[in-house]
Structures are given as C-alpha cells and as structure tokens.
Amino acid sequence: MEYIKNYTDGKFISPISGKYIENINPAIGEIYSYIPDADEQDVALAVAAAKAAFPAWAATSAQVRSAFLLKIASLIDTYSEKLALAESIDNGKPLELAKTMDIGRAAANFHFYGTAILHESSESHFTSPTAINYTLRKPIGVVGCISPWNLPLYLFTWKIAPALAAGNCVVAKPSEITPMTAYLLSEICIEAGLPKGVLNLVHGYGHKVGQAIAENPEIPAISFTGGTATGKKIALAGAPLFKKLSLELGGKNPNIIFSDCNFENAVATSVRSSFTNQGQICLCGSRIFIQKPIYEKFKNEFVRRVKLLKVGDPLQADSDLGATVSKQHKDKVLSYIELAKQEGGTVLTGGKDVKLQGRCENGYFIEPTVIEGLSPYCRTNQEEIFGSVVTLTPFESEEEVIRYANSTPYGLSATIWTENLNTAHHVAHALESGIVWINCWLLRDLRTPFGGVKNSGLGREGGFEALKFFTEEKNICIKL
Ligand code: NAD
C-alpha cells in the first residue's frame, strides 16, 4: 500500500500530524493508497520553503524557466502510460480518456507556458512630448493553486505551469480525492532538477490545507478551480487580505439545438458533451434545448445512441463511461435523478446505478441518464449535478431559449448548433456565458481566455491572461 508524501523544499516529507487519509479506487470501491492528512503546519513549512526559493527563481531569465518547464513537459510525455493509469485508477475515468485527454493536456500546459514566457512583452506609453511610461510585470511571490478531482493533472498543471513560468514559487494542493498524479508530478519535478522550494505540494482535506492556503497572509494570490460554494469560502478568507483571486467555479451549461443544425454532428457531439468523463467536466452540456420541429427526431436518435454507451471497467478499452469519482458523489447524482422524478420528469434511459460483475462489482457506476418533461426553472435544471445526467427541453424561438439558457445562477460555457450565421451570432452574444462553442464542443485553443460569469467564477485563465494574473504590474514614468 503506497503512502503519498508532501513535496516541500524539494523533498518528500510526511505530514507533521502523522495522520493519513484513505484513498479509494472508485472502480472497485477499495482503498489503494494513503494521502497525508496535512494541516496549516505543513502549509506553513511549504510557504517558508517557497519564500526562501522566490528571490533566486524570480531572478532567473525567462529562458532558464522555460527550459525547466519544457523538461517537465517532456518527462510527462515519457511517463504518460504510468500517469494515465494512475489517473484512471484514482478517478475512475476510462484509461483511454486519461491517455487521450488528461495526460497529453498536462504536458501541453507545461509546453505552452514554457514557450509563452519567451514571447511575453510589456507595454510602453509615450506621453507626447513630455514623458515615456513603461510597464513592468513582476512575479507576485508565493502563490496558491488549488484544484478539483474531475481532471486532476490537467487542471493542476493549468495553474502551476503559468505560475512558475511567470517567476512565482507555488504552494499547491490537489484534490484529496485524486492526489496520485500530483504526487507523480512531484517525482517528475525532482527528476527535472527544479530548484528546491520552487514548487511545493501539500496533500489533504480542503477545510484544512485549502483553507490554510486561503488564509495564509504570505500567499497574496490564489488560483482556484472547484465548486462555487468552496469558491465563496476562499473569497471570504482572501478578501480581507486583499488577495488576488482567480476562481473557476461550477456550471450548468446549455446545449442549444436549432432545427436547421447539421443533425448528425449535433447528435454525435451532444452524446460526447453530455457523458464524457461520466459528465464530470465543468464544460459538459447538461441542459439540452431542442427546437420543436426536430424535438422528437433528435430525442429518439440521442436516446438510441446513449443506450449504446458501455458503462464498464475503466481499464477496458471499450468502456465509454467508467466509475463516478466517489460513493458520496454517486449518491448525490442518484439523488438528483430521484428529485427529477419528483419534479415531474420522465427518465427516457438510464436512471439507476450499474452493478458490474467481477473486479468492479463494488465500484461506483451509474447509467448515462436522459430526462424530459421538466420545467427549465426546476431544481434539476437549475442546480449543478456534475454527473451523467442530462435533460431535454423543447423550445420555439431564439428569445425563449435565450431566456431558458440564462435562467441559472451559472455562466460557464454554452454550445449552439445552427447553420444560420445570424442566429449563431445573435444567440452567442446574448448568452450569459464566458465561453460559447458554435457547432463544436471542447475545441480548445490554449491562447483563448477561459472562465465563467455569474456564479461560475471570477477572472480568466489561459494564454497571456494567466501570465497577467500571476504577475503584478508596475508602471514607470520617465520625464523626457
Ligand atoms: P470542491 O470545491 O469540493 O474542491 C475543489 C478543491 O478545493 C479541492 O482540492 C478541495 O480539497 C478544496 N477545498 C475544499 N474546501 C476548501 C476550503 N474551505 N478552502 C480551500 N480549498 C478547499 O470541488 P470538487 O468537488 O473537487 O470539483 C467539482 C467542482 O469543480 C464542480 O462544481 C465543477 O463545476 C467545478 N469545476 C470547475 C471548472 C472550471 O474551470 N470552471 C473546472 C473543473 C471543475
């Protein structure tokens, strides 16, 4: 049984409390490793190491930092099979998905910011005829990075890479539910020769380690991805200390299908955007709105294809859906299916947990579930479920569907399916959403701003936005 360690000051260390948390493989429902039950004392050690490392790391050239990041990217590629297996075991996601999506993207994050830092430039403003201003962008110091369980290494590195590239030292906390690939990343950082204290990883519960990062006065900036309720706690802790915050929070994304869409592309992609990673991607479209003339046709074909999806052992290549991340989360998703029935919904397919035979007989599996007949304003259609459950709702006009789509407290992403350019632009502009995909889903360009509006978050990640977040601007004015 493996005991994961914290990574502090370039070394692996046990939690000061000596306590550990059970780490469960959700596909088999059994403990397979232990995670440090760290607390504010371990965070204080990590902050001290990061503070000590900061002056030297901040003084390195962009070329030197780039070389470290590219080395880490290349080692992630080298160990991609091992990392993908660890991600699948920890999270329950299909191994194929971990290989094709999660690990490749983690390497790409380091590669992207390792090269982006070489292309950064700063502004200057000529105040004719008396002065010239130029703007310096300096690293902030010790920054906190806190990430969730759904795309563990993918989202963890999406924060760490720009923070390091910009010259900061990092105290990071992966989700206690999926800590394994973060632990393997610390091994990679040691192999890459990253100077000690530049990156520190503290494992443990959110209310202990996460809260200690949020409250620590020596961490002036925090990049967080997770639930909206947790984001509020971090904002509450950080606001009196005037911390810089980037908050990527929950979603309840609309997927809007107009009658004139390319039907085949819309159905095929909607199956993916509903159930990839068991529906546990913040960008999954959980509310599908279909224009009335094609409602029945779309519904029948969508349900037919969903019934063909195989829920199975994540390690088998033909499994489309693996396990839900934890028993607690499985129970939450199933409780929303019960709620949907109470609210008058009809389950068209799915609706139950899945009992597999053999190795995975005690795993946490749920059928992909499609529900119709609900009001767009009921709880099932307003609250984030974050699982393999979608609803179908008919609509008549653009105005009506915009009203439905914008009715939730969230505003992360949206998808629109239409062949009419005017409809596409009009609806995209009217949606309260940080990201809109037209005739596609999850087509990512890492240079674009990523983030949500309303209760889906604050600030933007991606491209130079993240490098700006992780730096402090200073304007210098010279009188000519
Ligand atoms: P969560 O909020 O429960 O946990 C996220 C992280 O915060 C974990 O590391 C957790 O330990 C930590 N945490 C918990 N309490 C804390 C506290 N008091 N202070 C500081 N940190 C604390 O979220 P989750 O269940 O791990 O992930 C699912 C959620 O993440 C969903 O709501 C999903 O929409 C959201 N998400 C958003 C995005 C995005 O880009 N907007 C991406 C992925 C997931």
Side-chain angles (χ1 to χ4, degrees), residues 49 148 388 472:
S388 53
E472 206 63 87

Side-chain angles (χ1 to χ4, degrees), residues 146-150 155 173-177 204-207 210-211 214 224-228 230-231 233-234 248-251 282 384 386 412 450 456 461:
I146 304 175
S147 61
W149 49 256
N150 65 320
L155 290 176
K173 183 196 126 37
S175 169
E176 63 276 25
I177 301 169
Y205 289 120
H207 67 274
Q211 192 70 29
F224 168 79
T225 299
T228 297
T230 313
K233 288 183 193 162
I234 291 172
E248 300 295 339
L249 310 177
C282 54
E384 186 183 43
F386 210 55
L412 185 54
F450 180 95
S456 289
E461 297 189 319

Side-chain angles (χ1 to χ4, degrees), residues 222-374:
I222 295 180
S223 173
F224 168 79
T225 299
T228 297
T230 313
K232 267 187 201 163
K233 288 183 193 162
I234 291 172
L236 271 173
L241 298 167
F242 304 108
K243 291 197 183 204
K244 220 175 166 184
L245 295 179
S246 168
L247 302 174
E248 300 295 339
L249 310 177
K252 188 74 181 172
N253 309 315
N255 177 8
I256 303 171
I257 322 279
F258 283 96
S259 299
D260 69 346
C261 68
N262 177 318
F263 188 81
E264 172 53 33
N265 289 348
V267 180
T269 308
S270 294
V271 172
R272 275 199 315 117
S273 68
S274 302
F275 299 113
T276 301
N277 208 37
Q278 298 72 247
Q280 301 167 151
I281 299 182
C282 54
L283 306 164
C284 279
S286 53
R287 296 177 295 151
I288 307 180
F289 298 108
I290 307 150
Q291 209 164 20
K292 277 193 178 150
I294 62 160
Y295 183 81
E296 288 300 320
K297 180 180 170 198
F298 185 93
K299 172 177 101 175
N300 293 337
E301 185 55 18
F302 183 74
V303 169
R304 188 185 74 77
R305 294 190 194 200
V306 173
K307 283 183 173 163
L308 297 175
L309 295 175
K310 183 180 169 202
V311 180
D313 183 340
L315 301 186
Q316 281 173 5
D318 62 345
S319 295
D320 298 300
L321 280 81
T324 303
V325 75
S326 65
K327 169 145 191 339
Q328 190 190 16
H329 194 56
K330 178 186 138 183
D331 292 344
K332 176 190 157 183
V333 175
L334 289 174
S335 78
Y336 269 101
I337 297 172
E338 285 313 306
L339 174 70
K341 289 184 206 161
Q342 286 162 24
E343 290 184 318
T346 304
V347 176
L348 299 172
T349 183
K352 297 188 295 299
D353 58 354
V354 178
K355 292 276 171 237
L356 296 179
Q357 301 294 312
R359 192 183 88 90
C360 296
E361 62 182 359
N362 295 319
Y364 315 133
F365 296 88
I366 304 181
E367 293 174 331
T369 300
V370 184
I371 302 170
E372 72 168 353
L374 289 165

Side-chain angles (χ1 to χ4, degrees), residues 394-459:
F395 71 91
E396 304 248 17
S397 66
E398 276 181 33
E399 286 61 37
E400 183 187 6
V401 79
I402 291 167
R403 205 166 52 243
Y404 291 167
N406 288 345
S407 69
T408 77
Y410 297 103
L412 185 54
S413 75
T415 308
I416 303 168
W417 292 94
T418 177
E419 294 294 293
N420 182 320
L421 202 56
N422 286 333
T423 304
H425 283 301
H426 176 235
V427 178
H429 289 213
L431 290 175
E432 293 165 357
S433 181
I435 302 152
V436 179
W437 279 294
I438 297 170
N439 297 332
C440 58
W441 176 70
L442 204 45
L443 187 59
R444 292 282 287 123
D445 180 327
L446 301 188
R447 294 170 301 176
T448 59
F450 180 95
V453 299
K454 304 199 289 189
N455 289 7
S456 289
L458 191 69

Side-chain angles (χ1 to χ4, degrees), residues 340-341 343-346 371-376 378 380-381 391-393:
K341 289 184 206 161
E343 290 184 318
T346 304
I371 302 170
E372 72 168 353
L374 289 165
S375 153
C378 71
T380 310
N381 270 325
T391 62
L392 308 184
T393 307

Side-chain angles (χ1 to χ4, degrees), residues 5 9 64 87 109 118 132 176 181 194 256 393 415 432:
K5 296 267 194 297
D9 205 19
V64 168
E87 204 71 293
N109 291 340
L118 300 176
I132 186 157
E176 63 276 25
T181 48
L194 190 69
I256 303 171
T393 307
T415 308
E432 293 165 357

